[in-house]
PDB file of all heavy atoms in Angstrom:
ATOM      1  N   ILE Y  15      12.199-193.350  83.872  1.00 93.00           N
ATOM      2  CA  ILE Y  15      11.446-193.116  85.109  1.00 93.00           C
ATOM      3  C   ILE Y  15       9.996-192.781  84.765  1.00 93.00           C
ATOM      4  O   ILE Y  15       9.050-193.246  85.420  1.00 93.00           O
ATOM      5  CB  ILE Y  15      12.096-191.986  85.927  1.00 93.00           C
ATOM      6  CG1 ILE Y  15      13.464-192.448  86.448  1.00 93.00           C
ATOM      7  CG2 ILE Y  15      11.193-191.565  87.083  1.00 93.00           C
ATOM      8  CD1 ILE Y  15      14.282-191.363  87.100  1.00 93.00           C
ATOM      9  N   ALA Y  16       9.796-191.987  83.706  1.00 91.00           N
ATOM     10  CA  ALA Y  16       8.440-191.665  83.259  1.00 91.00           C
ATOM     11  C   ALA Y  16       7.704-192.928  82.829  1.00 91.00           C
ATOM     12  O   ALA Y  16       6.523-193.119  83.171  1.00 91.00           O
ATOM     13  CB  ALA Y  16       8.486-190.663  82.105  1.00 91.00           C
ATOM     14  N   ALA Y  17       8.373-193.804  82.105  1.00 89.00           N
ATOM     15  CA  ALA Y  17       7.753-195.064  81.677  1.00 89.00           C
ATOM     16  C   ALA Y  17       7.346-195.902  82.881  1.00 89.00           C
ATOM     17  O   ALA Y  17       6.268-196.512  82.901  1.00 89.00           O
ATOM     18  CB  ALA Y  17       8.718-195.839  80.785  1.00 89.00           C
ATOM     19  N   LEU Y  18       8.201-195.915  83.901  1.00 89.00           N
ATOM     20  CA  LEU Y  18       7.902-196.683  85.115  1.00 89.00           C
ATOM     21  C   LEU Y  18       6.693-196.111  85.845  1.00 89.00           C
ATOM     22  O   LEU Y  18       5.806-196.850  86.284  1.00 89.00           O
ATOM     23  CB  LEU Y  18       9.123-196.675  86.026  1.00 89.00           C
ATOM     24  CG  LEU Y  18       9.012-197.441  87.340  1.00 89.00           C
ATOM     25  CD1 LEU Y  18       8.767-198.927  87.085  1.00 89.00           C
ATOM     26  CD2 LEU Y  18      10.276-197.253  88.170  1.00 89.00           C
ATOM     27  N   LEU Y  19       6.632-194.793  85.956  1.00 87.00           N
ATOM     28  CA  LEU Y  19       5.498-194.152  86.637  1.00 87.00           C
ATOM     29  C   LEU Y  19       4.195-194.409  85.877  1.00 87.00           C
ATOM     30  O   LEU Y  19       3.151-194.684  86.481  1.00 87.00           O
ATOM     31  CB  LEU Y  19       5.743-192.652  86.763  1.00 87.00           C
ATOM     32  CG  LEU Y  19       6.866-192.228  87.733  1.00 87.00           C
ATOM     33  CD1 LEU Y  19       7.094-190.729  87.646  1.00 87.00           C
ATOM     34  CD2 LEU Y  19       6.532-192.647  89.156  1.00 87.00           C
ATOM     35  N   LEU Y  20       4.259-194.319  84.562  1.00 87.00           N
ATOM     36  CA  LEU Y  20       3.060-194.559  83.756  1.00 87.00           C
ATOM     37  C   LEU Y  20       2.609-196.013  83.860  1.00 87.00           C
ATOM     38  O   LEU Y  20       1.415-196.303  83.945  1.00 87.00           O
ATOM     39  CB  LEU Y  20       3.332-194.194  82.297  1.00 87.00           C
ATOM     40  CG  LEU Y  20       3.501-192.699  82.008  1.00 87.00           C
ATOM     41  CD1 LEU Y  20       4.087-192.492  80.618  1.00 87.00           C
ATOM     42  CD2 LEU Y  20       2.160-191.972  82.131  1.00 87.00           C
ATOM     43  N   ALA Y  21       3.567-196.923  83.857  1.00 83.00           N
ATOM     44  CA  ALA Y  21       3.224-198.349  83.955  1.00 83.00           C
ATOM     45  C   ALA Y  21       2.598-198.685  85.307  1.00 83.00           C
ATOM     46  O   ALA Y  21       1.758-199.576  85.407  1.00 83.00           O
ATOM     47  CB  ALA Y  21       4.467-199.198  83.720  1.00 83.00           C
ATOM     48  N   SER Y  22       3.002-197.947  86.342  1.00 80.00           N
ATOM     49  CA  SER Y  22       2.483-198.230  87.682  1.00 80.00           C
ATOM     50  C   SER Y  22       1.112-197.607  87.920  1.00 80.00           C
ATOM     51  O   SER Y  22       0.465-197.899  88.932  1.00 80.00           O
ATOM     52  CB  SER Y  22       3.469-197.719  88.741  1.00 80.00           C
ATOM     53  OG  SER Y  22       3.571-196.307  88.689  1.00 80.00           O
ATOM     54  N   GLY Y  23       0.672-196.731  86.989  1.00 72.00           N
ATOM     55  CA  GLY Y  23      -0.645-196.122  87.108  1.00 72.00           C
ATOM     56  C   GLY Y  23      -0.771-195.233  88.333  1.00 72.00           C
ATOM     57  O   GLY Y  23      -1.617-195.466  89.197  1.00 72.00           O
ATOM     58  N   VAL Y  24       0.082-194.216  88.421  1.00 67.00           N
ATOM     59  CA  VAL Y  24       0.106-193.338  89.597  1.00 67.00           C
ATOM     60  C   VAL Y  24      -1.253-192.653  89.816  1.00 67.00           C
ATOM     61  O   VAL Y  24      -1.942-192.281  88.879  1.00 67.00           O
ATOM     62  CB  VAL Y  24       1.216-192.271  89.438  1.00 67.00           C
ATOM     63  CG1 VAL Y  24       2.580-192.885  89.624  1.00 67.00           C
ATOM     64  CG2 VAL Y  24       1.138-191.592  88.072  1.00 67.00           C
ATOM     65  N   ASP Y  25      -1.603-192.478  91.089  1.00 65.00           N
ATOM     66  CA  ASP Y  25      -2.928-191.971  91.462  1.00 65.00           C
ATOM     67  C   ASP Y  25      -3.207-190.568  90.940  1.00 65.00           C
ATOM     68  O   ASP Y  25      -4.331-190.248  90.568  1.00 65.00           O
ATOM     69  CB  ASP Y  25      -3.079-191.985  92.989  1.00 65.00           C
ATOM     70  CG  ASP Y  25      -3.075-193.392  93.552  1.00 65.00           C
ATOM     71  OD1 ASP Y  25      -3.383-194.321  92.786  1.00 65.00           O
ATOM     72  OD2 ASP Y  25      -2.746-193.552  94.746  1.00 65.00           O
ATOM     73  N   TYR Y  26      -2.182-189.693  90.933  1.00 62.00           N
ATOM     74  CA  TYR Y  26      -2.430-188.310  90.549  1.00 62.00           C
ATOM     75  C   TYR Y  26      -2.651-188.129  89.050  1.00 62.00           C
ATOM     76  O   TYR Y  26      -2.847-187.025  88.583  1.00 62.00           O
ATOM     77  CB  TYR Y  26      -1.282-187.398  91.015  1.00 62.00           C
ATOM     78  CG  TYR Y  26       0.108-187.866  90.632  1.00 62.00           C
ATOM     79  CD1 TYR Y  26       0.621-187.656  89.355  1.00 62.00           C
ATOM     80  CD2 TYR Y  26       0.905-188.509  91.566  1.00 62.00           C
ATOM     81  CE1 TYR Y  26       1.889-188.076  89.024  1.00 62.00           C
ATOM     82  CE2 TYR Y  26       2.181-188.929  91.247  1.00 62.00           C
ATOM     83  CZ  TYR Y  26       2.671-188.706  89.966  1.00 62.00           C
ATOM     84  OH  TYR Y  26       3.928-189.129  89.639  1.00 62.00           O
ATOM     85  N   MET Y  27      -2.611-189.234  88.280  1.00 65.00           N
ATOM     86  CA  MET Y  27      -2.942-189.168  86.859  1.00 65.00           C
ATOM     87  C   MET Y  27      -4.262-189.877  86.601  1.00 65.00           C
ATOM     88  O   MET Y  27      -4.494-190.455  85.549  1.00 65.00           O
ATOM     89  CB  MET Y  27      -1.811-189.766  86.011  1.00 65.00           C
ATOM     90  CG  MET Y  27      -0.502-188.993  86.139  1.00 65.00           C
ATOM     91  SD  MET Y  27       0.761-189.483  84.944  1.00 65.00           S
ATOM     92  CE  MET Y  27       0.113-188.782  83.438  1.00 65.00           C
ATOM     93  N   GLY Y  28      -5.151-189.807  87.597  1.00 63.00           N
ATOM     94  CA  GLY Y  28      -6.435-190.489  87.501  1.00 63.00           C
ATOM     95  C   GLY Y  28      -7.339-189.953  86.408  1.00 63.00           C
ATOM     96  O   GLY Y  28      -8.318-190.597  86.042  1.00 63.00           O
ATOM     97  N   ALA Y  29      -7.028-188.759  85.884  1.00 68.00           N
ATOM     98  CA  ALA Y  29      -7.836-188.204  84.801  1.00 68.00           C
ATOM     99  C   ALA Y  29      -7.676-188.999  83.514  1.00 68.00           C
ATOM    100  O   ALA Y  29      -8.493-188.875  82.593  1.00 68.00           O
ATOM    101  CB  ALA Y  29      -7.455-186.738  84.559  1.00 68.00           C
ATOM    102  N   PHE Y  30      -6.622-189.830  83.450  1.00 72.00           N
ATOM    103  CA  PHE Y  30      -6.366-190.639  82.258  1.00 72.00           C
ATOM    104  C   PHE Y  30      -6.714-192.093  82.554  1.00 72.00           C
ATOM    105  O   PHE Y  30      -6.513-192.577  83.673  1.00 72.00           O
ATOM    106  CB  PHE Y  30      -4.903-190.533  81.838  1.00 72.00           C
ATOM    107  CG  PHE Y  30      -4.459-189.128  81.520  1.00 72.00           C
ATOM    108  CD1 PHE Y  30      -3.884-188.335  82.502  1.00 72.00           C
ATOM    109  CD2 PHE Y  30      -4.622-188.602  80.254  1.00 72.00           C
ATOM    110  CE1 PHE Y  30      -3.472-187.045  82.228  1.00 72.00           C
ATOM    111  CE2 PHE Y  30      -4.217-187.316  79.964  1.00 72.00           C
ATOM    112  CZ  PHE Y  30      -3.648-186.526  80.951  1.00 72.00           C
ATOM    113  N   SER Y  31      -7.186-192.787  81.552  1.00 74.00           N
ATOM    114  CA  SER Y  31      -7.506-194.206  81.724  1.00 74.00           C
ATOM    115  C   SER Y  31      -6.216-195.024  81.769  1.00 74.00           C
ATOM    116  O   SER Y  31      -5.155-194.571  81.329  1.00 74.00           O
ATOM    117  CB  SER Y  31      -8.380-194.692  80.564  1.00 74.00           C
ATOM    118  OG  SER Y  31      -7.633-194.702  79.353  1.00 74.00           O
ATOM    119  N   THR Y  32      -6.328-196.242  82.286  1.00 71.00           N
ATOM    120  CA  THR Y  32      -5.168-197.137  82.339  1.00 71.00           C
ATOM    121  C   THR Y  32      -4.611-197.381  80.955  1.00 71.00           C
ATOM    122  O   THR Y  32      -3.390-197.395  80.747  1.00 71.00           O
ATOM    123  CB  THR Y  32      -5.564-198.478  82.983  1.00 71.00           C
ATOM    124  OG1 THR Y  32      -6.052-198.242  84.304  1.00 71.00           O
ATOM    125  CG2 THR Y  32      -4.385-199.431  83.029  1.00 71.00           C
ATOM    126  N   GLU Y  33      -5.524-197.525  79.976  1.00 77.00           N
ATOM    127  CA  GLU Y  33      -5.090-197.780  78.600  1.00 77.00           C
ATOM    128  C   GLU Y  33      -4.304-196.592  78.046  1.00 77.00           C
ATOM    129  O   GLU Y  33      -3.305-196.769  77.333  1.00 77.00           O
ATOM    130  CB  GLU Y  33      -6.290-198.077  77.700  1.00 77.00           C
ATOM    131  CG  GLU Y  33      -7.000-199.404  77.973  1.00 77.00           C
ATOM    132  CD  GLU Y  33      -7.859-199.355  79.242  1.00 77.00           C
ATOM    133  OE1 GLU Y  33      -8.146-198.237  79.727  1.00 77.00           O
ATOM    134  OE2 GLU Y  33      -8.226-200.435  79.743  1.00 77.00           O
ATOM    135  N   GLN Y  34      -4.738-195.383  78.354  1.00 77.00           N
ATOM    136  CA  GLN Y  34      -4.039-194.195  77.879  1.00 77.00           C
ATOM    137  C   GLN Y  34      -2.635-194.091  78.487  1.00 77.00           C
ATOM    138  O   GLN Y  34      -1.677-193.748  77.798  1.00 77.00           O
ATOM    139  CB  GLN Y  34      -4.856-192.943  78.205  1.00 77.00           C
ATOM    140  CG  GLN Y  34      -6.111-192.790  77.358  1.00 77.00           C
ATOM    141  CD  GLN Y  34      -6.971-191.627  77.819  1.00 77.00           C
ATOM    142  OE1 GLN Y  34      -7.117-191.386  79.026  1.00 77.00           O
ATOM    143  NE2 GLN Y  34      -7.549-190.901  76.870  1.00 77.00           N
ATOM    144  N   LEU Y  35      -2.549-194.389  79.784  1.00 79.00           N
ATOM    145  CA  LEU Y  35      -1.248-194.343  80.445  1.00 79.00           C
ATOM    146  C   LEU Y  35      -0.300-195.400  79.880  1.00 79.00           C
ATOM    147  O   LEU Y  35       0.870-195.127  79.598  1.00 79.00           O
ATOM    148  CB  LEU Y  35      -1.411-194.534  81.947  1.00 79.00           C
ATOM    149  CG  LEU Y  35      -2.169-193.439  82.700  1.00 79.00           C
ATOM    150  CD1 LEU Y  35      -2.316-193.820  84.170  1.00 79.00           C
ATOM    151  CD2 LEU Y  35      -1.460-192.101  82.577  1.00 79.00           C
ATOM    152  N   GLN Y  36      -0.826-196.604  79.693  1.00 77.00           N
ATOM    153  CA  GLN Y  36       0.009-197.694  79.176  1.00 77.00           C
ATOM    154  C   GLN Y  36       0.470-197.430  77.748  1.00 77.00           C
ATOM    155  O   GLN Y  36       1.561-197.842  77.360  1.00 77.00           O
ATOM    156  CB  GLN Y  36      -0.752-199.016  79.252  1.00 77.00           C
ATOM    157  CG  GLN Y  36      -0.951-199.522  80.674  1.00 77.00           C
ATOM    158  CD  GLN Y  36      -1.753-200.797  80.737  1.00 77.00           C
ATOM    159  OE1 GLN Y  36      -2.489-201.138  79.801  1.00 77.00           O
ATOM    160  NE2 GLN Y  36      -1.642-201.521  81.849  1.00 77.00           N
ATOM    161  N   ALA Y  37      -0.348-196.707  76.986  1.00 80.00           N
ATOM    162  CA  ALA Y  37       0.017-196.408  75.604  1.00 80.00           C
ATOM    163  C   ALA Y  37       1.238-195.502  75.523  1.00 80.00           C
ATOM    164  O   ALA Y  37       1.954-195.493  74.507  1.00 80.00           O
ATOM    165  CB  ALA Y  37      -1.160-195.751  74.882  1.00 80.00           C
ATOM    166  N   LEU Y  38       1.492-194.745  76.591  1.00 84.00           N
ATOM    167  CA  LEU Y  38       2.632-193.834  76.595  1.00 84.00           C
ATOM    168  C   LEU Y  38       3.929-194.520  77.026  1.00 84.00           C
ATOM    169  O   LEU Y  38       5.011-193.971  76.820  1.00 84.00           O
ATOM    170  CB  LEU Y  38       2.352-192.654  77.528  1.00 84.00           C
ATOM    171  CG  LEU Y  38       1.318-191.638  77.048  1.00 84.00           C
ATOM    172  CD1 LEU Y  38       0.994-190.651  78.155  1.00 84.00           C
ATOM    173  CD2 LEU Y  38       1.835-190.904  75.813  1.00 84.00           C
ATOM    174  N   VAL Y  39       3.834-195.698  77.626  1.00 85.00           N
ATOM    175  CA  VAL Y  39       5.031-196.384  78.121  1.00 85.00           C
ATOM    176  C   VAL Y  39       6.036-196.679  77.008  1.00 85.00           C
ATOM    177  O   VAL Y  39       7.218-196.307  77.123  1.00 85.00           O
ATOM    178  CB  VAL Y  39       4.650-197.667  78.888  1.00 85.00           C
ATOM    179  CG1 VAL Y  39       5.903-198.480  79.227  1.00 85.00           C
ATOM    180  CG2 VAL Y  39       3.887-197.322  80.158  1.00 85.00           C
ATOM    181  N   PRO Y  40       5.637-197.317  75.902  1.00 86.00           N
ATOM    182  CA  PRO Y  40       6.613-197.573  74.830  1.00 86.00           C
ATOM    183  C   PRO Y  40       7.182-196.284  74.238  1.00 86.00           C
ATOM    184  O   PRO Y  40       8.326-196.258  73.784  1.00 86.00           O
ATOM    185  CB  PRO Y  40       5.801-198.349  73.785  1.00 86.00           C
ATOM    186  CG  PRO Y  40       4.636-198.898  74.531  1.00 86.00           C
ATOM    187  CD  PRO Y  40       4.322-197.899  75.582  1.00 86.00           C
ATOM    188  N   PHE Y  41       6.386-195.213  74.242  1.00 88.00           N
ATOM    189  CA  PHE Y  41       6.864-193.927  73.725  1.00 88.00           C
ATOM    190  C   PHE Y  41       8.069-193.443  74.516  1.00 88.00           C
ATOM    191  O   PHE Y  41       9.092-193.029  73.944  1.00 88.00           O
ATOM    192  CB  PHE Y  41       5.746-192.893  73.779  1.00 88.00           C
ATOM    193  CG  PHE Y  41       6.207-191.480  73.551  1.00 88.00           C
ATOM    194  CD1 PHE Y  41       6.528-191.038  72.272  1.00 88.00           C
ATOM    195  CD2 PHE Y  41       6.346-190.589  74.612  1.00 88.00           C
ATOM    196  CE1 PHE Y  41       6.973-189.743  72.052  1.00 88.00           C
ATOM    197  CE2 PHE Y  41       6.785-189.294  74.408  1.00 88.00           C
ATOM    198  CZ  PHE Y  41       7.099-188.870  73.125  1.00 88.00           C
ATOM    199  N   PHE Y  42       7.989-193.491  75.842  1.00 91.00           N
ATOM    200  CA  PHE Y  42       9.098-193.006  76.664  1.00 91.00           C
ATOM    201  C   PHE Y  42      10.306-193.950  76.605  1.00 91.00           C
ATOM    202  O   PHE Y  42      11.449-193.497  76.679  1.00 91.00           O
ATOM    203  CB  PHE Y  42       8.642-192.788  78.104  1.00 91.00           C
ATOM    204  CG  PHE Y  42       7.903-191.501  78.299  1.00 91.00           C
ATOM    205  CD1 PHE Y  42       6.513-191.483  78.377  1.00 91.00           C
ATOM    206  CD2 PHE Y  42       8.586-190.300  78.368  1.00 91.00           C
ATOM    207  CE1 PHE Y  42       5.823-190.285  78.545  1.00 91.00           C
ATOM    208  CE2 PHE Y  42       7.904-189.101  78.530  1.00 91.00           C
ATOM    209  CZ  PHE Y  42       6.522-189.088  78.615  1.00 91.00           C
ATOM    210  N   ILE Y  43      10.044-195.243  76.447  1.00 89.00           N
ATOM    211  CA  ILE Y  43      11.157-196.185  76.267  1.00 89.00           C
ATOM    212  C   ILE Y  43      11.883-195.881  74.961  1.00 89.00           C
ATOM    213  O   ILE Y  43      13.123-195.853  74.901  1.00 89.00           O
ATOM    214  CB  ILE Y  43      10.646-197.644  76.267  1.00 89.00           C
ATOM    215  CG1 ILE Y  43      10.096-198.021  77.651  1.00 89.00           C
ATOM    216  CG2 ILE Y  43      11.766-198.600  75.869  1.00 89.00           C
ATOM    217  CD1 ILE Y  43      11.139-198.072  78.747  1.00 89.00           C
ATOM    218  N   GLU Y  44      11.107-195.638  73.903  1.00 90.00           N
ATOM    219  CA  GLU Y  44      11.714-195.309  72.602  1.00 90.00           C
ATOM    220  C   GLU Y  44      12.444-193.974  72.671  1.00 90.00           C
ATOM    221  O   GLU Y  44      13.512-193.796  72.083  1.00 90.00           O
ATOM    222  CB  GLU Y  44      10.626-195.269  71.514  1.00 90.00           C
ATOM    223  CG  GLU Y  44      11.157-195.063  70.106  1.00 90.00           C
ATOM    224  CD  GLU Y  44      11.960-196.248  69.589  1.00 90.00           C
ATOM    225  OE1 GLU Y  44      11.919-197.327  70.212  1.00 90.00           O
ATOM    226  OE2 GLU Y  44      12.633-196.086  68.556  1.00 90.00           O
ATOM    227  N   LEU Y  45      11.875-193.019  73.401  1.00 93.00           N
ATOM    228  CA  LEU Y  45      12.524-191.723  73.572  1.00 93.00           C
ATOM    229  C   LEU Y  45      13.868-191.903  74.291  1.00 93.00           C
ATOM    230  O   LEU Y  45      14.847-191.223  73.960  1.00 93.00           O
ATOM    231  CB  LEU Y  45      11.612-190.798  74.384  1.00 93.00           C
ATOM    232  CG  LEU Y  45      11.812-189.289  74.208  1.00 93.00           C
ATOM    233  CD1 LEU Y  45      11.608-188.874  72.765  1.00 93.00           C
ATOM    234  CD2 LEU Y  45      10.850-188.527  75.112  1.00 93.00           C
ATOM    235  N   ASN Y  46      13.910-192.813  75.242  1.00 92.00           N
ATOM    236  CA  ASN Y  46      15.168-193.115  75.923  1.00 92.00           C
ATOM    237  C   ASN Y  46      16.211-193.658  74.953  1.00 92.00           C
ATOM    238  O   ASN Y  46      17.399-193.315  75.031  1.00 92.00           O
ATOM    239  CB  ASN Y  46      14.908-194.116  77.047  1.00 92.00           C
ATOM    240  CG  ASN Y  46      16.173-194.500  77.789  1.00 92.00           C
ATOM    241  OD1 ASN Y  46      16.767-195.539  77.504  1.00 92.00           O
ATOM    242  ND2 ASN Y  46      16.599-193.674  78.720  1.00 92.00           N
ATOM    243  N   GLN Y  47      15.761-194.485  74.013  1.00 91.00           N
ATOM    244  CA  GLN Y  47      16.679-195.045  73.015  1.00 91.00           C
ATOM    245  C   GLN Y  47      17.285-193.937  72.154  1.00 91.00           C
ATOM    246  O   GLN Y  47      18.471-193.955  71.831  1.00 91.00           O
ATOM    247  CB  GLN Y  47      15.937-196.061  72.134  1.00 91.00           C
ATOM    248  CG  GLN Y  47      15.463-197.304  72.850  1.00 91.00           C
ATOM    249  CD  GLN Y  47      16.590-198.307  73.068  1.00 91.00           C
ATOM    250  OE1 GLN Y  47      17.689-198.131  72.556  1.00 91.00           O
ATOM    251  NE2 GLN Y  47      16.321-199.348  73.834  1.00 91.00           N
ATOM    252  N   TYR Y  48      16.459-192.966  71.778  1.00 94.00           N
ATOM    253  CA  TYR Y  48      16.975-191.839  70.992  1.00 94.00           C
ATOM    254  C   TYR Y  48      17.918-190.987  71.832  1.00 94.00           C
ATOM    255  O   TYR Y  48      18.901-190.430  71.312  1.00 94.00           O
ATOM    256  CB  TYR Y  48      15.824-190.999  70.443  1.00 94.00           C
ATOM    257  CG  TYR Y  48      15.222-191.568  69.184  1.00 94.00           C
ATOM    258  CD1 TYR Y  48      14.022-192.273  69.209  1.00 94.00           C
ATOM    259  CD2 TYR Y  48      15.864-191.428  67.957  1.00 94.00           C
ATOM    260  CE1 TYR Y  48      13.478-192.815  68.058  1.00 94.00           C
ATOM    261  CE2 TYR Y  48      15.341-191.967  66.795  1.00 94.00           C
ATOM    262  CZ  TYR Y  48      14.133-192.657  66.852  1.00 94.00           C
ATOM    263  OH  TYR Y  48      13.616-193.194  65.701  1.00 94.00           O
ATOM    264  N   GLY Y  49      17.631-190.866  73.121  1.00 95.00           N
ATOM    265  CA  GLY Y  49      18.533-190.146  74.007  1.00 95.00           C
ATOM    266  C   GLY Y  49      19.895-190.813  74.080  1.00 95.00           C
ATOM    267  O   GLY Y  49      20.938-190.137  74.105  1.00 95.00           O
ATOM    268  N   ILE Y  50      19.897-192.133  74.098  1.00 93.00           N
ATOM    269  CA  ILE Y  50      21.158-192.877  74.100  1.00 93.00           C
ATOM    270  C   ILE Y  50      21.913-192.631  72.801  1.00 93.00           C
ATOM    271  O   ILE Y  50      23.149-192.503  72.794  1.00 93.00           O
ATOM    272  CB  ILE Y  50      20.895-194.378  74.315  1.00 93.00           C
ATOM    273  CG1 ILE Y  50      20.441-194.628  75.753  1.00 93.00           C
ATOM    274  CG2 ILE Y  50      22.141-195.208  74.013  1.00 93.00           C
ATOM    275  CD1 ILE Y  50      20.020-196.043  76.030  1.00 93.00           C
ATOM    276  N   ALA Y  51      21.177-192.544  71.687  1.00 95.00           N
ATOM    277  CA  ALA Y  51      21.819-192.256  70.401  1.00 95.00           C
ATOM    278  C   ALA Y  51      22.507-190.895  70.428  1.00 95.00           C
ATOM    279  O   ALA Y  51      23.613-190.725  69.914  1.00 95.00           O
ATOM    280  CB  ALA Y  51      20.788-192.319  69.279  1.00 95.00           C
ATOM    281  N   ILE Y  52      21.858-189.907  71.044  1.00 96.00           N
ATOM    282  CA  ILE Y  52      22.458-188.576  71.148  1.00 96.00           C
ATOM    283  C   ILE Y  52      23.690-188.625  72.052  1.00 96.00           C
ATOM    284  O   ILE Y  52      24.745-188.073  71.728  1.00 96.00           O
ATOM    285  CB  ILE Y  52      21.425-187.564  71.678  1.00 96.00           C
ATOM    286  CG1 ILE Y  52      20.302-187.380  70.651  1.00 96.00           C
ATOM    287  CG2 ILE Y  52      22.088-186.222  71.998  1.00 96.00           C
ATOM    288  CD1 ILE Y  52      19.117-186.586  71.164  1.00 96.00           C
ATOM    289  N   ALA Y  53      23.572-189.310  73.189  1.00 96.00           N
ATOM    290  CA  ALA Y  53      24.720-189.459  74.083  1.00 96.00           C
ATOM    291  C   ALA Y  53      25.855-190.202  73.395  1.00 96.00           C
ATOM    292  O   ALA Y  53      27.039-189.904  73.613  1.00 96.00           O
ATOM    293  CB  ALA Y  53      24.307-190.194  75.354  1.00 96.00           C
ATOM    294  N   GLY Y  54      25.487-191.157  72.531  1.00 95.00           N
ATOM    295  CA  GLY Y  54      26.491-191.943  71.822  1.00 95.00           C
ATOM    296  C   GLY Y  54      27.404-191.111  70.948  1.00 95.00           C
ATOM    297  O   GLY Y  54      28.548-191.496  70.682  1.00 95.00           O
ATOM    298  N   ILE Y  55      26.920-189.956  70.493  1.00 97.00           N
ATOM    299  CA  ILE Y  55      27.770-189.060  69.699  1.00 97.00           C
ATOM    300  C   ILE Y  55      28.984-188.650  70.527  1.00 97.00           C
ATOM    301  O   ILE Y  55      30.126-188.696  70.058  1.00 97.00           O
ATOM    302  CB  ILE Y  55      26.967-187.822  69.253  1.00 97.00           C
ATOM    303  CG1 ILE Y  55      25.843-188.243  68.292  1.00 97.00           C
ATOM    304  CG2 ILE Y  55      27.888-186.789  68.591  1.00 97.00           C
ATOM    305  CD1 ILE Y  55      24.868-187.117  67.976  1.00 97.00           C
ATOM    306  N   PHE Y  56      28.753-188.289  71.769  1.00 97.00           N
ATOM    307  CA  PHE Y  56      29.849-187.844  72.630  1.00 97.00           C
ATOM    308  C   PHE Y  56      30.647-189.014  73.181  1.00 97.00           C
ATOM    309  O   PHE Y  56      31.855-188.892  73.420  1.00 97.00           O
ATOM    310  CB  PHE Y  56      29.304-186.970  73.766  1.00 97.00           C
ATOM    311  CG  PHE Y  56      28.722-185.679  73.279  1.00 97.00           C
ATOM    312  CD1 PHE Y  56      27.353-185.557  73.059  1.00 97.00           C
ATOM    313  CD2 PHE Y  56      29.526-184.591  73.018  1.00 97.00           C
ATOM    314  CE1 PHE Y  56      26.813-184.370  72.605  1.00 97.00           C
ATOM    315  CE2 PHE Y  56      29.001-183.400  72.562  1.00 97.00           C
ATOM    316  CZ  PHE Y  56      27.634-183.280  72.355  1.00 97.00           C
ATOM    317  N   TRP Y  57      29.983-190.168  73.393  1.00 95.00           N
ATOM    318  CA  TRP Y  57      30.736-191.357  73.785  1.00 95.00           C
ATOM    319  C   TRP Y  57      31.722-191.735  72.696  1.00 95.00           C
ATOM    320  O   TRP Y  57      32.774-192.315  72.984  1.00 95.00           O
ATOM    321  CB  TRP Y  57      29.785-192.522  74.058  1.00 95.00           C
ATOM    322  CG  TRP Y  57      29.055-192.414  75.364  1.00 95.00           C
ATOM    323  CD1 TRP Y  57      29.498-191.807  76.513  1.00 95.00           C
ATOM    324  CD2 TRP Y  57      27.750-192.916  75.667  1.00 95.00           C
ATOM    325  NE1 TRP Y  57      28.558-191.898  77.500  1.00 95.00           N
ATOM    326  CE2 TRP Y  57      27.469-192.574  77.025  1.00 95.00           C
ATOM    327  CE3 TRP Y  57      26.800-193.613  74.934  1.00 95.00           C
ATOM    328  CZ2 TRP Y  57      26.279-192.915  77.644  1.00 95.00           C
ATOM    329  CZ3 TRP Y  57      25.599-193.961  75.558  1.00 95.00           C
ATOM    330  CH2 TRP Y  57      25.347-193.619  76.896  1.00 95.00           C
ATOM    331  N   GLY Y  58      31.375-191.444  71.459  1.00 96.00           N
ATOM    332  CA  GLY Y  58      32.308-191.677  70.371  1.00 96.00           C
ATOM    333  C   GLY Y  58      33.377-190.601  70.292  1.00 96.00           C
ATOM    334  O   GLY Y  58      34.570-190.888  70.180  1.00 96.00           O
TER     335      GLY Y  58
END
């Protein structure tokens, strides 16, 4: 959800440039992948 909000360039984050916001999108996607890895411990 954070990646989606950053990609959409929400108005209340106007203090940051579009490039800065977009740079964080892959970070949150990757963070989601690590979250799945943690959940996978219990799925196992």
Side-chain angles (χ1 to χ4, degrees):
I15 292 172
L18 181 62
L19 291 174
L20 290 167
S22 65
V24 287
D25 294 337
Y26 51 80
M27 297 190 73
F30 301 93
S31 68
T32 301
E33 291 75 16
Q34 288 173 321
L35 295 177
Q36 290 178 340
L38 288 171
V39 172
F41 168 76
F42 280 101
I43 293 294
E44 185 68 13
L45 204 59
N46 179 262
Q47 294 281 352
Y48 278 102
I50 289 174
I52 294 170
I55 295 171
F56 294 96
W57 285 330

